Amino acid sequence: MECPHLSSSVCIAPDSAKFPNGSPSSWCCSVCRSNKSPWVCLTCSSVHCGRYVNGHAKKHYEDAQIPLTNHKKSEKQEKAQHTVCMDCSSYSTYCYRCDDFVVNDTKLGLVQKVREHLQNLENSAFTADRHRKRKLLENSSLNSKLLKVNGSATAICATGLRNLGNTCFMNAILQSLSNIEQFCCYFKELPAVELRNGKTAGRRTYHTRSQGDNNVSLVEEFRKTLCALWQGSQTAFSPESLFYVVWKIMPNFRGYQQQDAHEFMRYLLDHLHLELQGGFNGISRSSILQENSTLSASNKCCINGASTVVTAIFGGILQNEVNCLICGTESRKFDPFLDLSLDIPSQFRNKRSKNQENGPTCSLRDCLRSFTDLEELDETELYMCHKCKKKQKSTKKFWIQKLPKVLCLHLKRFHWTAYLRNKVDTYVEFPLRGLDMKCYLLEPENSGPENCLYDLAAVVVHHGSGVGSGHYTAYATHEGRWFHFNDSTVTLTDEDTVGKAKAYILFYVERQAKAGSDKL
């Protein structure tokens, strides 16, 4: 939005010596000393934490609005309102009086000059940190962020995602998708889009809640977010621009309440698919897809129109067979899918951890078998038989007609009772490599052995008791190492820890090269 308060609130010099030392993204709040979500006041250059940490930046603004009764204010003090501040990580500008993000500037361009100065400070701090790490490597004195891989020292380059207020559901999905190499690389290689013209052309675009739907691009903000991850230039990235686009085009996710990560993933993939079907910066998305030799036409699965990278990678096909138990009439229908939702069989629901002794352990194969086994439909799901011309008892069975390149499996951990939605907290054992899907195929003889084997790429975990509460984190593998993504915190972990997780969503990638590993 165009803010009318910039002239009275932006008072600091762009190269102000009052700024703290070090990297702006790591500056500490002057009140609580937290370095999470630092914001700098553009009136007095003081640094405070954002509203989703302890809210001292907003309190700084509110305190400045209290009239000074003990002494007479000067003219400059009357004009200085402390209403505008800048995010020290994303460099977006926010006005508390307008209660929105700001896209305009002062006549002298002070906001942009401050932004450029903070970027220079960040780059200088990063360069100094890189030299420091190089010196540590040379001296063989590694800090906690350095580890050994194949005998040589290397740095953890993973980037976390800041929690904007119960947005862990979004962060877990974004981190998982960013580690699916073929999917991530496609978006990172797309050309950048400038959504604004005129005076702001060539500058970074900051989406606001007051902009129209025509001014936002989910694909572009998704691309920017993926590009920010794994660069190693910052410990955490703030996905606020992407989040506001989500607010614009996905009304179900407006607000700051906890959401279902699986539901968000489906909405995200569906909207990316729809937007990718259109043109992009004068280039047809379909032509970009066709130029990618690894996504050939034989691997495409069309959902709601033309194929895109979403359906080419996540798209599979189910065959649904329904048989009338009275006359034996068989009905077949083919349904495209982007993920499979699997029930956890009730006989396993008492076992809540891998090491718990009582009861058998539920495996992913048990869930897949329950999904594909022959099932007799109950009285509420009677099948309309066209031969009998009335609803009859029937059986139903699913077959997988075509497997996707990335198999996304959703374990149905939440179910409705008479009054509330409960969580199934059962531990489900899953393989980290060698998931064999051949026995679930409609025509397994037509598929090679390599095409049916899948290796785990990422896992989304829900911690807590209910879908409207709790916390989401993700595990993902990158260049042979497993990482745990907990919002802005990224830690190196091991396969044993991943295997003990109570998975909610599993992402399996089709194995390309031959490798000797156990099958499920």
Side-chain angles (χ1 to χ4, degrees):
M1 57 152 284
E2 300 284 330
C3 174
H5 310 113
L6 293 183
S7 59
S8 60
S9 294
V10 182
C11 305
I12 61 174
D15 56 350
S16 176
K18 296 181 180 179
F19 289 134
N21 295 324
S23 167
S25 62
S26 301
W27 286 347
C28 295
C29 173
S30 60
V31 179
C32 65
R33 307 308 299 169
S34 170
N35 64 350
K36 295 182 179 178
S37 186
W39 291 74
V40 59
C41 174
L42 297 188
T43 301
C44 62
S45 74
S46 59
V47 177
H48 297 88
C49 59
R51 66 175 70 191
Y52 307 120
V53 183
N54 292 313
H56 288 126
K58 185 177 181 181
K59 190 174 188 305
H60 172 70
Y61 154 71
E62 292 171 344
D63 291 345
Q65 309 313 304
I66 301 175
L68 300 177
T69 57
N70 296 333
H71 60 278
K72 186 178 180 180
K73 296 185 292 184
S74 66
E75 183 180 352
K76 185 174 181 180
Q77 286 176 319
E78 289 178 357
K79 290 184 178 180
Q81 300 171 343
H82 302 266
T83 62
V84 180
C85 57
M86 181 177 289
D87 189 328
C88 299
S89 299
S90 66
Y91 314 117
S92 53
T93 310
Y94 192 87
C95 176
Y96 280 109
R97 288 191 68 183
C98 299
D99 194 25
D100 206 344
F101 285 87
V102 178
V103 296
N104 59 317
D105 204 338
T106 64
K107 293 180 179 180
L108 299 177
L110 292 179
V111 174
Q112 181 62 20
K113 289 179 180 178
V114 172
R115 181 177 293 127
E116 291 172 353
H117 182 63
L118 293 186
Q119 289 174 328
N120 291 334
L121 291 177
E122 186 75 30
N123 293 336
S124 299
F126 173 67
T127 302
D129 186 59
R130 186 169 57 185
H131 288 312
R132 180 182 62 83
K133 288 182 178 179
R134 184 178 300 164
K135 187 174 181 180
L136 286 172
L137 286 172
E138 292 172 354
N139 296 332
S140 299
S141 176
L142 305 179
N143 61 20
S144 60
K145 275 207 166 188
L146 299 176
L147 63 153
K148 284 195 174 184
V149 178
N150 297 328
S152 62
T154 182
I156 297 178
C157 58
T159 299
L161 287 168
R162 287 196 172 89
N163 193 315
L164 305 178
N166 284 325
T167 57
C168 55
F169 68 93
M170 178 178 74
N171 292 346
I173 294 298
L174 293 176
Q175 293 286 14
S176 298
L177 294 178
S178 75
N179 286 283
I180 298 174
E181 184 177 2
Q182 196 174 22
F183 185 71
C184 180
C185 287
Y186 172 86
F187 285 93
K188 288 164 68 175
E189 291 171 1
L190 288 176
V193 159
E194 288 297 333
L195 298 177
R196 300 180 65 86
N197 298 314
K199 295 182 180 179
T200 58
R203 296 182 189 171
R204 181 174 176 177
T205 301
Y206 300 95
H207 296 302
T208 74
R209 284 169 281 184
S210 60
Q211 287 179 302
D213 292 342
N214 294 331
N215 292 325
V216 298
S217 168
L218 179 64
V219 170
E220 172 65 1
E221 293 304 332
F222 185 67
R223 183 194 69 80
K224 288 179 182 178
T225 302
L226 294 182
C227 288
L229 301 176
W230 293 105
Q231 288 184 342
S233 59
Q234 51 186 335
T235 57
F237 174 76
S238 181
E240 60 187 18
S241 294
L242 174 62
F243 191 43
Y244 284 125
V245 174
V246 169
W247 277 26
K248 287 287 185 182
I249 64 179
M250 305 180 199
N252 290 1
F253 297 95
R254 290 176 184 169
Y256 296 99
Q257 65 271 27
Q258 182 65 280
Q259 302 281 0
D260 184 2
H262 174 251
E263 185 180 358
F264 172 76
M265 182 196 73
R266 285 307 312 268
Y267 269 89
L268 177 66
L269 292 179
D270 287 345
H271 281 82
L272 287 173
H273 172 65
L274 290 174
E275 190 174 322
L276 283 166
Q277 288 177 327
F280 184 71
N281 208 17
I283 303 174
S284 171
R285 294 300 181 107
S286 59
S287 65
I288 296 174
L289 184 62
Q290 290 168 3
E291 290 174 3
N292 191 335
S293 59
T294 61
L295 303 177
S296 61
S298 61
N299 289 324
K300 294 179 183 178
C301 172
C302 295
I303 298 176
N304 297 329
S307 176
T308 66
V309 68
V310 175
T311 54
I313 289 181
F314 290 96
I317 299 176
L318 281 177
Q319 177 178 291
N320 183 3
E321 291 182 359
V322 179
N323 285 277
C324 176
L325 293 177
I326 306 301
C327 68
T329 299
E330 184 180 90
S331 173
R332 295 181 181 179
K333 186 173 71 168
F334 292 95
D335 296 314
F337 68 87
L338 295 178
D339 70 306
L340 298 178
S341 292
L342 311 178
D343 283 305
I344 299 175
S346 57
Q347 65 266 31
F348 299 106
R349 293 188 178 180
N350 291 328
K351 190 159 186 176
R352 299 193 174 187
S353 68
K354 184 175 183 178
N355 299 325
Q356 186 176 332
E357 294 182 359
N358 60 312
T361 299
C362 180
S363 69
L364 188 58
R365 186 168 185 169
D366 293 317
C367 299
L368 285 165
R369 188 186 298 115
S370 175
F371 179 78
T372 56
D373 275 351
L374 188 68
E375 172 191 5
E376 184 173 338
L377 300 177
D378 59 31
E379 296 291 335
T380 61
E381 299 178 296
L382 292 179
Y383 163 64
M384 182 64 188
C385 179
H386 297 291
K387 187 174 182 180
C388 299
K389 299 190 183 304
K390 63 177 181 179
K391 292 184 177 181
Q392 301 282 27
K393 288 186 176 182
S394 58
T395 60
K396 179 181 71 174
K397 181 175 177 61
F398 284 119
W399 293 96
I400 298 178
Q401 198 267 341
K402 174 190 170 294
L403 284 166
K405 285 185 169 295
V406 175
L407 178 64
C408 180
L409 301 176
H410 161 236
L411 299 180
K412 295 163 74 171
R413 291 197 174 274
F414 302 105
H415 66 99
W416 285 101
T417 61
Y419 301 103
L420 70 161
R421 200 177 185 185
N422 288 332
K423 180 181 178 181
V424 179
D425 204 29
T426 306
Y427 169 74
V428 177
E429 192 174 45
F430 54 90
L432 270 66
R433 56 181 65 85
L435 171 62
D436 192 351
M437 294 295 294
K438 191 168 186 176
C439 61
Y440 309 108
L441 283 176
L442 178 64
E443 298 174 343
E445 65 278 3
N446 294 335
S447 298
E450 297 86 1
N451 297 334
C452 300
L453 290 179
Y454 287 81
D455 297 323
L456 189 65
V459 187
V460 173
V461 181
H462 177 267
H463 310 267
S465 58
V467 67
S469 59
H471 182 61
Y472 286 98
T473 65
Y475 294 95
T477 180
H478 184 81
E479 296 180 351
R481 294 175 291 168
W482 280 96
F483 293 86
H484 183 218
F485 298 91
N486 182 6
D487 287 336
S488 58
T489 303
V490 183
T491 55
L492 194 66
T493 187
D494 53 49
E495 292 186 354
D496 289 339
T497 302
V498 177
K500 293 176 183 178
K502 293 181 182 178
Y504 181 46
I505 306 172
L506 296 149
F507 296 88
Y508 281 94
V509 177
E510 181 184 46
R511 182 179 294 177
Q512 299 296 328
K514 292 183 179 180
S517 56
D518 297 332
K519 297 179 182 179
L520 176 64

